[in-house]
Amino acid sequence: MSFPVIGVVGGGQLARMMAPPATALGLELRVLAEAEDVSAVPAVPEAPVGDYRSLEDLREFAQGVDVLTFDHEHVPTEHLLALMAEGVNVQPGPAALVHAQDKLKMRSAVERLGLPNPRWAAVHHVEDLVAFGDEIGWPIVLKTPRGGYDGKGVRVLGSSADAAASIDWFGTMTPLLAEEMVTFARELSVLIARTPSGASRAWPVVHTIQVDGVCDEVIAPAPGLDPAVAEAAQAAALAIATDLGVTGVMAAELFETPGRGQGFLVNELAMRPHNTGHWTQDGCVTSQFEQHLRAVLDLPLGSTRVLGDWAVMKNILGGANGDLYGSYPAALAAEDAAKVHTYGKSVRPGRKIGHVNLVGGPGSDPGDLRARASRVAAVIRDGADAPDNADAAKESA
Ligand code: ADP
């Protein structure tokens, strides 16, 4: 048997980070890139430029690959159905993927499976929205079911006046998703991988820290999490993946709600490697990127054992420093155990341009690891003269 070619639709950092494990396993990774200059292009031998919204472009790309998978969830369902009808091996398939594309479909599936959702409603008009808020109590959260990411497409509405002011969202997409504003202890994420044959593995449940709707830090495993809740969260993710026929990596983002639901409520699903799983690159026997490749090829899955007592991941968002490599001497000298990952992306304020992983052995402390990883990220973000706010980070840990 010859080594297979894996085609990834989308050339973002997730596709880029699939390249090292693909190389290690001798697989060819090929990327359908949005443009010549996207993140994954320098990391793979072939990256034709094409539009994921064009069936023609997808068809041409799929011709030379053994399995088609994704860097993002935005490929239209009808195109994927057409490709499958033509014999293309699409993993995950469109019937699963739609639950990561459409938050209303996701809420319905979670409900159907008897798993814990926030209170929610599909709202067609401002009047529906006001009625929902009046019923469950303000504030509420309004979401566009499709196309949102990093908190774009999420609005907190404090009153019926705010609801009336959201008229601009109705009409662009209807119905919208209204949710209760959940009071949670913290946000959690659980990642699993599943193969077309039905084999699966879960990584430990992690604590994710969001700033302005964007993932900022991850601590693995989630410190102090009730083992019964962790187990229930993994079981829920697996139940969802099995029911929906998910293949590859799936992330379920959760709200930790002690005493409510199963100790958590489901926030949303992603069907691809996920920012909350980047720590597995350096913190686990098998990273989420390697596991995704194994899973879509229906190969045996790798061990998800953690290599240490704790692992932390700190995102690097675009900041004052435009010369990332220029900051490397100071950043790498600051912490010789830190693993720095940058995505080859131009620096724009707030844009995800890289992350820092740090794994701690026996006796390590997650707060200390966070402070140290944050220091490295700050030097890369702001340059070597960045103020040392490691102590502040440690205090807030
Ligand atoms: P996105 O698809 O943009 O990631 P999410 O639905 O995950 O959007 O929401 C982004 C963030 O907004 C969440 O991580 C959480 O911090 C907050 N959030 C979303 N929904 C709710 C809710 N129902 N109650 C409270 N906070 C929420």
Side-chain angles (χ1 to χ4, degrees), residues 103 107 118 141 143 148-154 156 179-184 187 210 213-214 253 255 267-268:
K103 290 178 184 178
R107 285 272 167 257
V141 180
K143 299 184 177 183
Y149 66 98
D150 285 351
K152 296 173 182 67
V154 175
V156 176
E179 293 179 355
E180 69 170 289
M181 178 86 179
V182 177
T183 306
F184 51 79
E187 294 188 67
Q210 317 280 320
V214 183
E253 294 184 74
F255 299 127
N267 177 25
E268 72 166 338

Side-chain angles (χ1 to χ4, degrees), residues 82-397:
L83 294 173
M84 283 173 74
E86 292 163 17
V88 177
N89 178 14
V90 179
Q91 306 290 346
L97 208 53
V98 73
H99 298 88
Q101 294 172 326
D102 187 322
K103 290 178 184 178
L104 282 165
K105 290 209 164 60
M106 178 273 297
R107 285 272 167 257
S108 301
V110 170
E111 189 164 293
R112 181 172 52 75
L113 288 165
L115 295 168
N117 265 328
R119 296 180 70 184
W120 67 284
V123 289
H124 291 80
H125 314 280
V126 167
E127 298 81 68
D128 292 354
L129 188 59
V130 171
F132 178 75
D134 286 344
E135 184 195 332
I136 68 154
W138 303 88
I140 60 170
V141 180
L142 181 65
K143 299 184 177 183
T144 55
R146 287 175 174 267
Y149 66 98
D150 285 351
K152 296 173 182 67
V154 175
R155 266 185 200 168
V156 176
L157 309 179
S159 65
S160 55
D162 287 350
S166 292
I167 186 92
D168 57 322
W169 273 13
F170 288 92
T172 52
M173 216 183 289
T174 312
L176 298 174
L177 171 62
E179 293 179 355
E180 69 170 289
M181 178 86 179
V182 177
T183 306
F184 51 79
R186 57 185 168 172
E187 294 188 67
L188 304 172
S189 173
V190 56
L191 267 75
I192 62 130
R194 185 171 176 277
T195 69
S197 300
S200 63
R201 296 276 178 134
W203 285 272
V205 179
V206 301
H207 174 197
T208 79
I209 297 161
Q210 317 280 320
V211 176
D212 298 331
V214 183
C215 175
D216 183 49
E217 277 180 277
V218 170
I219 308 164
L225 182 63
D226 178 347
V229 173
E231 212 173 290
Q234 290 178 328
L238 192 57
I240 292 169
T242 305
D243 181 80
L244 302 180
V246 175
T247 54
V249 169
M250 185 192 89
E253 294 184 74
L254 311 172
F255 299 127
E256 188 183 13
T257 52
R260 183 173 173 205
Q262 298 184 5
F264 63 85
L265 308 177
V266 176
N267 177 25
E268 72 166 338
L269 304 177
M271 292 181 197
R272 49 171 171 74
H274 192 251
N275 197 166
T276 61
H278 289 356
W279 67 278
T280 60
Q281 289 174 305
D282 302 299
C284 277
V285 173
T286 310
S287 78
Q288 62 165 347
F289 299 102
E290 176 175 349
Q291 201 81 302
H292 187 74
L293 301 179
R294 291 181 181 225
V296 299
L297 289 169
D298 210 10
L299 289 170
L301 297 175
S303 163
T304 52
R305 188 168 59 77
V306 182
L307 301 169
D309 283 17
W310 302 102
V312 302
M313 189 258 359
K314 170 77 180 180
N315 267 346
I316 307 171
L317 303 185
N321 178 31
D323 176 13
L324 299 189
Y325 187 68
S327 69
Y328 273 24
L332 302 185
E335 188 58 58
D336 68 359
K339 306 302 283 185
V340 171
H341 302 257
T342 54
Y343 308 152
K345 287 159 73 171
S346 57
V347 175
R348 284 205 300 267
R351 189 182 200 199
K352 287 178 182 171
I353 52 172
H355 65 274
V356 178
N357 286 336
L358 190 58
V359 179
S364 61
D365 166 64
D368 174 60
L369 293 171
R370 280 179 68 190
R372 287 159 54 197
S374 291
R375 173 68 192 151
V376 177
V379 171
I380 296 172
R381 185 187 61 228
D382 296 329
D385 301 331
D388 188 344
N389 50 14
D391 288 339
K394 202 165 166 180
E395 270 161 33
S396 72

